[in-house]
Amino acid sequence: MPAPTQNRTETTTGPTGPNGPSRPNGTDLPVLSRADTARLLGTALGPIVAQGVIARRPKVVAAAGRLGTDDRSVRLLQRLRDRYGDGPVRVPAPGRPSALVLDAAGVRRVLEDGPEPFTPASWEKGGALGHFQPHGVLISQGTARAERRRFNEAVLDTGSPLHAQAGDIAAVVRQETGQLRDDAVRTGAFDWDAFVVTWWRIVRRIVLGDGAREDHELTDTLTRLRRRGNWSHLAPRSEQLRERFASGVRSHLRQAEEGSLAARIAQTAPEPDDGTTPEDQIGHWLFAWDPGAAVTLRALALLATHPEVRGRARAEMAADGPADRPRELSVLRSAVLESTRLWPTTPLLIRESTADTDWPGGTLPAGTSLLVPTWFLHRDDRRRADADRLDVQQWLDGSARDDWMLTPFSGGHAACPGQELVLFVASTVLATLLEDHHAVLLPPESFDAGQPLPRGLNPYALRFGLARAAGGTGLER
């Protein structure tokens, strides 16, 4: 296996032993001290797990924001990198060999070189996702994984900015979001609770058809399964609950309503006898759509507080022609990507090594969990000029796509197959809200475009005032 293309920075100064960098055989990879391991678990990884890695816990998310855990964890990782180097840095966590990857070359290698020797089907994910999608692509291996990935990419139209069914999808988004917008204009504001109801109606209609619009029970059942997934292997699996969800999905799939992904599934049959079940793949899609609501609302907060970018978005909307046709909306799309960069919904990417891997300075054994801390790499103000500010231009000119320190939708062979679809839907939601209307970010959350953006932004506390723009154009610069 080739080594990373860039040299890892070695840290050779400082004490050794229980309170400093340790290289047991003199040339081995650095190992966090016991004290630094405790700090990493308590200050950085612990809060991520507590907030819910599969289903967010809103009260814990709010508490983490009040305590500033995101800011403190970035500062901690900076100190650890200064002390131990760019990695991999071994983390002697109890019962599980792990290592932090903190440089672009290492991130690229871990994400691109797979699914062998770096598989996304880690032990932790198998325990968590197995509660509601035991045959999902992310925790599959071998030929089954290849077929499930093919199936996902075919249905989700991976790689196409505009899905083959973009017209039908855009119509659903505009109808549902337009109703939310009109209600907000009448009442003067909308919040997370109102938005998330609209979001799930959009998602259910896009994936399963109009008949699923009010099937709250289906997605509520999935949420219950995902909450079990937060506990991974520690929670017993409920086959009864999973079958209730799968049965509900199959019921909608039998209808295969025209214009929905369910209809596309009917045209994209999986290979026989490989164990690929559409309800398992849909379980993953719905799970992945959930953080899309937070990403979209945070993007709206960015647009509401950054008039220059908002003006560029409005100008693009006006230049792109009729609002009722599907459009790429590059500026809004970039604002959504920035929302995902600034506040990543997957703060920690995990890959598990299936064989021993050689790195500059040492070898990591098979079974090591490679940890890519996206929340840190995206917001490291010692190495990134854009760490705490909005920068849509890097997505518009393509430079961000070549930056392996930025992985808002993961990367390599396990990059999110639905990322273009999510970006299209989120952009269309924003365009519908902003068309001929002004949005204002209301307390309790607030920030100034001229100041560093907060490292934590609680989506459940976001509220927006919405009013029709004077003259009906809304094209302020």
Side-chain angles (χ1 to χ4, degrees), residues 51 169 218 476:
Q51 291 176 69
I169 293 168
L218 179 74
E476 86 277 16

Side-chain angles (χ1 to χ4, degrees), residues 34 193-194 261 288 322 331 333 337 365 375-376:
R34 290 193 296 271
D193 289 340
L261 295 184
V331 177
R333 186 178 187 273
L337 282 162
W375 92 92
F376 164 64

Side-chain angles (χ1 to χ4, degrees), residues 174-219:
R174 290 184 59 80
Q175 182 183 39
E176 296 292 351
T177 309
Q179 181 176 325
L180 171 70
R181 181 193 63 202
D182 294 344
D183 289 345
V185 169
R186 186 175 61 257
T187 61
F190 74 94
D191 59 10
W192 168 266
D193 289 340
F195 181 78
V196 79
V197 170
T198 295
W199 181 260
W200 276 116
R201 283 173 174 160
I202 290 170
V203 170
R204 288 191 296 263
R205 289 180 67 186
I206 289 172
V207 176
L208 298 170
D210 293 345
R213 181 180 189 267
E214 298 301 326
D215 195 351
H216 303 283
E217 181 181 355
L218 179 74
T219 41

Side-chain angles (χ1 to χ4, degrees), residues 371-405:
L371 311 177
V372 178
T374 57
W375 92 92
F376 164 64
L377 300 177
H378 291 188
R379 301 300 294 270
D380 178 13
D381 57 359
R382 292 186 185 175
R383 294 193 176 181
R384 301 199 64 86
D386 65 350
D388 299 321
R389 64 176 176 85
L390 178 64
D391 180 13
V392 297
Q393 189 59 37
Q394 64 185 322
W395 302 101
L396 293 170
D397 64 24
S399 59
R401 288 192 294 272
D402 299 323
D403 186 348
W404 279 91
M405 299 299 266

Side-chain angles (χ1 to χ4, degrees), residues 229-391:
N230 279 341
W231 298 96
S232 191
H233 293 281
L234 297 177
R237 296 187 182 183
S238 173
E239 295 302 326
Q240 180 181 12
L241 201 60
R242 193 173 75 82
E243 177 54 32
R244 185 187 307 170
F245 169 73
S247 177
V249 171
R250 289 193 294 266
S251 176
H252 291 295
L253 287 177
R254 283 193 290 269
Q255 305 301 315
E257 292 186 34
E258 186 176 354
S260 69
L261 295 184
R264 195 169 174 89
I265 286 172
Q267 303 164 5
T268 315
E271 293 293 332
D273 302 324
D274 82 328
T276 300
T277 55
E279 58 264 30
D280 266 351
Q281 312 315 310
I282 288 174
H284 184 73
W285 301 348
L286 295 177
F287 156 56
W289 275 105
D290 182 44
V295 167
T296 305
L297 267 196
R298 285 167 170 157
L300 183 59
L302 290 170
L303 291 163
T305 54
H306 290 73
E308 187 274 333
V309 176
R310 184 173 67 245
R312 291 176 66 182
R314 289 188 185 283
E316 181 181 61
M317 289 162 57
D320 272 356
D324 59 353
R325 71 173 179 82
R327 298 171 290 174
E328 287 189 39
L329 300 169
S330 299
V331 177
L332 289 177
R333 186 178 187 273
S334 297
V336 176
L337 282 162
E338 276 293 270
S339 169
T340 314
R341 174 185 72 85
L342 291 162
W343 302 287
T345 56
T346 305
L348 191 68
L349 300 178
I350 302 177
R351 298 292 185 267
E352 183 173 309
S353 61
T354 59
D356 292 353
T357 56
D358 294 326
W359 300 81
T363 299
L364 289 174
T368 298
S369 184
L370 282 299
L371 311 177
V372 178
T374 57
W375 92 92
F376 164 64
L377 300 177
H378 291 188
R379 301 300 294 270
D380 178 13
D381 57 359
R382 292 186 185 175
R383 294 193 176 181
R384 301 199 64 86
D386 65 350
D388 299 321
R389 64 176 176 85
L390 178 64
D391 180 13

